[in-house]
Amino acid sequence: MVNTAGTIQFKEYPSIASTGVIVGPMEKESPFADSFDEVCLLENEKDESFEQANSRFIEKACAIAVSKGHEQMENMDVFIGGDLINQLSPTNFAARQLAIPFLGVFSACASSVESVILGCLLLETGNAKSILAGASSHHPSVERQFRYPLEYGSQKPGTAQWTVTAAGFALLQKQAKNAPIITHATIGRVVDGGQTNPLHMGAAMASAARDTIERHLMGTNSRMADYDVIMTGDLGKIGLSILKEMFQDENSGIILQDAGAQLYGENTFFNAGASGAGCSAAVFFSHIYNQLKNGAYKRVLLVATGALLSPLTFQQGETIPCIAHAIECRMEERG
């Protein structure tokens, strides 16, 4: 049941049984590189379009998650995923190859957590036992759709973020052994702070992140200090700074972190940090997942953020509506 804050408490405590994360060549220097399952040295293979490469990344990430979970692809009940390309083309084509009942989702860069929430709801009904959920992005294909082809060589301001090439997927099950569990989720609301600059996404998405975090804390009767970390999806360095200023909690400076701000470390080549639907998926399903598994984190709140614009709405002069979805994860040992 969804409470007045938009928060769901899962009775069955779905498990993240395993994960699969594959990234591109620019991500090999990430502080999280050792946590990624595979690093590809090329954005695409010979005679392969960037969109086809995106699909291949999705397929491989799903295969890794299934293998690590000691399962078989034919035992997967549902595949839930999304990306940033028109009509979810890369995910659709990956679903064609995986041949699993498929639900495509779009919350822009918040799609990873939306996918997990839908998967948990399906597990709660008892109509599914094993679900693949996650999201992806691919730098060259996203740049071509939302900005300019790489060959154009456009220059970006310091507020811009770098779309990651990554696919991250989780294998969700009801009773996995020694796996992190998902206790709650908060469904995001569309929040529009009046921002119009598509090269300053962090400023646009910060308000949606604040709204979801505040409602989740209210819906779970929790305080910020109750968490080891509250990690947002891809606000980047500037957006994270804005979010911290929005909270008056004395713990916000330490507990609030951001996948986009951290994925490329302090490398200024990437301006304000990372973005893309694969950004939160890659960090959540590698580093954060491992920290839960090894006991370094006991309770975390993962908040994926998404800017719901398109090239068309930008050209029509619309502002940038945003959304943030959240899941709360804990480590619970099961015999």
Side-chain angles (χ1 to χ4, degrees):
M1 180 180 293
V2 181
N3 64 24
T4 56
T7 299
I8 305 165
Q9 180 175 353
F10 296 114
K11 297 179 180 179
E12 298 292 336
Y13 290 168
S15 310
I16 305 177
S18 59
T19 61
V21 174
I22 178 172
V23 301
M26 300 301 287
E27 290 70 35
K28 68 179 182 297
E29 302 299 332
S30 169
F32 305 126
D34 289 343
S35 297
F36 301 146
D37 293 294
E38 185 174 340
V39 178
C40 292
L41 299 182
L42 296 172
E43 296 278 10
N44 61 319
E45 296 178 347
K46 185 179 179 181
D47 298 326
E48 181 183 54
S49 71
F50 293 134
E51 290 73 22
Q52 289 171 331
N54 194 346
S55 295
R56 177 169 54 83
F57 274 51
I58 295 167
E59 294 168 32
K60 294 188 74 172
C62 289
I64 291 168
V66 170
S67 176
K68 288 166 62 179
H70 306 289
E71 283 285 359
Q72 300 295 322
M73 196 65 73
E74 55 265 29
N75 294 333
M76 298 299 104
D77 296 304
V78 183
F79 166 50
I80 309 173
D83 58 74
L84 299 177
I85 305 304
N86 286 334
Q87 289 79 51
L88 305 180
S89 299
T91 309
N92 291 336
F93 290 138
R96 178 180 64 185
Q97 294 301 114
L98 296 174
I100 304 168
F102 170 58
L103 290 172
V105 301
F106 182 81
S107 280
C109 300
S111 297
S112 58
V113 170
E114 180 184 1
S115 298
V116 172
I117 293 173
L118 290 174
C120 290
L121 290 171
L122 284 173
L123 290 175
E124 287 277 284
T125 66
N127 293 318
K129 294 181 179 179
S130 295
I131 295 174
L132 284 168
S136 72
S137 54
H138 191 274
H139 180 79
S141 58
V142 172
E143 288 297 304
R144 180 161 57 192
Q145 176 167 311
F146 283 92
R147 286 171 280 273
Y148 299 99
L150 299 184
E151 294 82 0
Y152 184 77
S154 63
Q155 300 298 303
K156 297 180 181 178
T159 58
Q161 294 166 241
W162 183 279
T163 303
V164 303
T165 295
F169 283 83
L171 170 58
L172 306 177
Q173 295 181 322
K174 188 175 285 188
Q175 296 291 335
K177 295 181 180 179
N178 300 325
I181 61 172
I182 301 171
T183 61
H184 299 81
T186 295
I187 300 171
R189 300 189 295 195
V190 176
V191 177
D192 193 331
Q195 298 290 326
T196 58
N197 185 355
L199 294 176
H200 197 355
M201 293 295 191
M205 294 186 290
S207 294
R210 177 184 65 175
D211 178 75
T212 296
I213 292 170
E214 288 179 340
R215 289 188 297 112
H216 188 89
L217 295 176
M218 182 187 308
T220 58
N221 193 27
S222 302
R223 301 168 300 138
M224 195 170 285
D226 295 333
Y227 297 87
D228 295 300
V229 62
I230 297 174
M231 179 167 276
T232 49
D234 53 357
L235 299 180
K237 293 178 171 63
I238 298 175
L240 177 61
S241 178
I242 293 171
L243 179 64
K244 288 180 178 180
E245 291 178 1
M246 289 177 170
F247 283 96
Q248 301 301 313
D249 193 302
E250 62 182 7
N251 299 291
S252 64
I254 299 174
I255 294 174
L256 284 174
Q257 299 181 27
D258 183 75
Q262 296 182 28
L263 192 142
Y264 292 121
E266 298 303 319
N267 192 333
T268 57
F269 175 82
F270 300 100
N271 295 318
S275 67
C279 177
S280 60
V283 177
F284 292 175
F285 298 148
S286 63
H287 172 69
I288 296 295
Y289 181 75
N290 292 343
Q291 293 292 84
L292 283 163
K293 287 272 289 184
N294 66 29
Y297 291 159
K298 300 296 184 184
R299 184 182 182 188
V300 301
L301 182 62
L302 305 178
V303 187
T305 54
L308 306 176
L309 83 165
S310 71
L312 177 63
T313 59
F314 169 70
Q315 291 167 5
Q316 292 174 337
E318 287 278 4
T319 53
I320 303 174
C322 299
I323 197 164
H325 300 299
I327 53 173
E328 181 171 323
C329 302
R330 303 185 191 186
M331 189 62 200
E332 179 179 279
E333 292 188 3
R334 289 172 171 162

